[in-house]
Amino acid sequence: QGGRGVLRLKAAAPRGLFYAWQSMVQVLNANRTEDGFSVPVFSIRDVPRVEWRGIMLDVSRHFFTMAEVKCMIDTMSLFKLNRLHLHLTDGPGWRMEIKKYPLLTSMSAWRVPLANGEWNWQEVKLAIQEHDPEATYGGFYTQDQMREIIAYARSRQVTIVPEIDLPGHSYAAMHAYGDLICDGVDFPVEGKKGRDAVCMGRPETLRFVKDVVDELKAVFPPGSPIHLGHDEVSAEAWKKCRYCQNRLKDLNETDLKALSRDFLQQIADYVRKDGYDAIVWDEAGELEADKHIFVMAWRGNDFAAAAARKGHPVILAPCSHFYFDYYQSSAPTEPKAIGGLIPLRQVYGYELPELSPEEASKVRGLQANIWTEYLYDMGLVEYMAWPRALALAERAWSDCDPRDYKSFRSRAALALKLLEKLAVKYRPMDEED
Ligand code: ACM
Ligand code: ZN
């Protein structure tokens, strides 16, 4: 009654104190009384289970403002999530200023708006905003704004992970710079049919990517991971392109995969020259590039296990459990989503792939991905993210029992009260959740 306690926080590194305080916020939240807090005597010894506890936000399909991104960092850090991966480029828009290639943002960061909600990239029209009054939807981060986001995140123990998605998903880049398009491709028509991989034979491509990496390095501090994409690459255009075919001959290869392997290896080497890490989606884990490239496994545990077996550091982001753009329930009241069904219980129940101790040592962490085809505002993103990100956060931080969903649920209910105070538009838990 009105007594005073002593709080002692001790950590091996400054970030440990930050996390200790986040735990205290949760303890206080759980021990509120009418006129303050009544906290029992307790002691916690704590270390994170995995070092990479991430969320990916797709800012290409829909653009989110600085304030919205910062708000996301705030909520993530409250639950000790520590990597915010920004999917900065894709067909629908290029979202970071690159000074050497101004058309990426004057032209490919703006589109003629479609109705909110469903967004069909095959119908999208990118255009220079100043010349087409209809091209009003979009936006991008200047390099100074990105520095501000990085600093804001850093003070909350969050690392920003930029992704430049290559060689596929590159319609926005190709639209702005035609030198990246293969010979014989009828662009933009074929680009919209999924032939959106940049040319592997023209010297302009490698120059372009290295220039972009140089500018990323001017903004992101050494040690940052740089994500190079490599998901869902269509090699169709490469088959008929004389530049690509010449390159294949130079490499003394016949399989088109050799083009993307060589391209990836060159870029990865370039990225790592100054102490940055190169990351790719798991398709590129099959290219036999070097083992130091991090593999982010989105297609599932089998692909994660295959990459770990080869010796790649692995981040687990399986679409079976951690794709937060999928539906949370089959109720007809859910906002329109891309498909799939991943209820809260399923996120919490995720089991790691079967791995030997050596392979398991390659697992760097867990990550949820939030693609935004249908998530046209931050309220929808928050609805899809929470409470599922609470389940991810707990599984990534603690060595808790994935089958003890009931006890997680009681903690999640308290955490949602915190989110309520922050005006985060989470999805309330149902009886049956
Ligand atoms: C992905 O979902 N294409 C990484
Ligand atoms: Zn080509």
Side-chain angles (χ1 to χ4, degrees):
Q1 278 297 308
R4 278 166 182 277
V6 173
L7 173 63
R8 188 165 291 134
L9 305 177
K10 208 171 137 194
R15 65 173 179 272
L17 288 181
F18 178 86
Y19 291 132
W21 181 250
Q22 300 311 313
S23 295
M24 258 329 278
V25 170
Q26 290 174 37
V27 167
L28 290 170
N29 176 53
N31 292 281
R32 246 169 223 291
T33 60
E34 301 226 313
D35 45 334
F37 303 95
S38 174
V39 179
V41 174
F42 71 97
S43 138
I44 300 176
R45 263 184 92 85
D46 214 4
V47 285
R49 180 185 183 208
V50 291
E51 69 187 61
W52 184 297
R53 305 179 295 280
I55 289 190
M56 184 224 62
L57 178 64
D58 169 10
V59 296
S60 175
R61 269 48 178 252
H62 282 96
F63 178 69
F64 298 94
T65 64
M66 300 266 295
E68 288 167 333
V69 171
K70 285 179 177 175
C71 186
M72 179 117 184
I73 293 166
D74 286 337
T75 42
M76 285 174 64
S77 67
L78 196 50
F79 302 104
K80 309 186 182 99
L81 293 166
N82 68 350
R83 297 285 189 284
L84 176 60
H85 164 179
L86 295 175
H87 185 71
L88 290 169
T89 73
D90 211 305
W94 184 284
R95 305 288 177 217
M96 186 174 138
E97 174 190 31
I98 303 295
K99 294 181 196 289
K100 203 161 179 186
Y101 298 89
L103 294 178
L104 290 171
T105 42
S106 67
M107 190 166 184
S108 290
W110 303 97
R111 65 179 190 236
V112 173
L114 302 180
N116 271 348
E118 182 156 357
W119 174 78
N120 181 347
W121 81 277
Q122 286 158 336
E123 283 167 18
V124 98
K125 185 177 150 216
L126 296 168
I128 297 184
Q129 200 184 23
E130 289 149 41
H131 300 302
D132 186 343
E134 285 185 67
T136 53
Y137 182 86
F140 64 93
Y141 310 105
T142 65
Q143 295 192 1
D144 279 344
Q145 286 176 326
M146 189 55 82
R147 285 190 188 93
E148 190 180 321
I149 292 175
I150 293 164
Y152 188 89
R154 199 189 178 100
S155 67
R156 288 155 183 79
Q157 301 299 332
V158 175
T159 300
I160 302 291
V161 181
E163 180 187 355
I164 305 297
D165 199 355
L166 292 159
H169 288 275
S170 294
Y171 180 87
M174 292 153 84
H175 190 259
Y177 290 96
D179 287 352
L180 303 173
I181 303 170
C182 275
D183 180 42
V185 168
D186 176 16
F187 199 81
V189 177
E190 288 186 275
K192 291 184 178 186
K193 289 182 187 155
R195 293 195 187 180
D196 57 354
V198 291
C199 182
M200 294 286 93
R202 298 172 78 145
E204 288 88 345
T205 305
L206 204 56
R207 186 70 267 144
F208 171 82
V209 183
K210 287 183 174 179
D211 288 340
V212 169
V213 168
D214 283 344
E215 296 204 26
L216 288 177
K217 287 182 177 178
V219 173
F220 289 84
S224 299
I226 295 180
H227 199 307
L228 300 169
H230 279 76
D231 57 326
E232 303 175 307
V233 179
S234 161
E236 272 310 299
W238 303 347
K239 285 185 193 163
K240 289 194 222 127
C241 168
R242 64 198 156 100
Y243 303 108
C244 285
Q245 290 303 318
N246 284 342
R247 178 80 191 133
L248 205 52
K249 271 197 215 105
D250 288 348
L251 292 172
N252 226 345
E253 298 276 2
T254 49
D255 187 343
L256 290 168
K257 274 199 168 161
L259 290 175
S260 37
R261 179 194 315 125
D262 178 69
F263 174 73
L264 168 62
Q265 190 63 62
Q266 290 197 59
I267 307 295
D269 289 343
Y270 195 74
V271 161
R272 289 182 307 211
K273 251 186 355 188
D274 305 295
Y276 295 78
D277 284 323
I279 308 188
V280 292
W281 295 112
D282 61 64
E283 286 94 328
E286 296 171 345
L287 292 175
E288 309 301 336
D290 81 72
K291 309 293 177 262
H292 301 291
I293 298 172
F294 284 56
V295 169
M296 190 173 270
W298 71 279
R299 290 180 296 172
N301 273 0
D302 290 349
F303 297 94
R309 239 171 260 132
K310 287 186 193 167
H312 291 280
V314 175
I315 295 146
L316 305 163
C319 59
S320 54
H321 292 74
F322 297 156
Y323 264 40
F324 291 176
D325 55 331
Y326 289 11
Y327 283 103
Q328 301 181 74
S329 85
S330 45
T333 46
E334 293 294 337
K336 184 152 175 61
I338 197 157
L341 175 64
I342 302 183
L344 181 60
R345 179 188 293 270
Q346 186 166 328
V347 179
Y348 197 73
Y350 173 68
E351 300 273 6
L352 266 60
E354 299 272 347
L355 298 169
S356 72
E358 196 191 332
E359 292 156 6
S361 74
K362 294 288 165 198
V363 172
R364 294 292 191 271
L366 310 182
Q367 178 169 299
N369 291 337
I370 307 178
W371 304 99
T372 59
E373 280 90 343
Y374 294 85
L375 309 180
Y376 54 85
D377 69 31
M378 197 30 98
L380 283 166
V381 170
E382 290 174 349
Y383 180 91
M384 299 305 264
W386 310 99
R388 288 189 288 193
L390 295 172
L392 173 84
E394 188 168 300
R395 293 298 316 283
W397 182 273
S398 313
D399 203 6
C400 46
D401 180 356
R403 289 155 303 184
D404 195 359
Y405 177 71
K406 217 175 137 197
S407 98
F408 161 72
R409 229 192 102 112
S410 63
R411 290 184 295 280
L414 286 166
L416 291 182
K417 287 192 189 166
L418 272 178
L419 291 177
E420 181 99 45
K421 289 205 173 61
L422 298 172
V424 172
K425 298 189 180 70
Y426 63 87
R427 179 185 184 276
M429 292 191 292
D430 293 334
E431 283 301 312
E432 64 271 25
D433 283 336

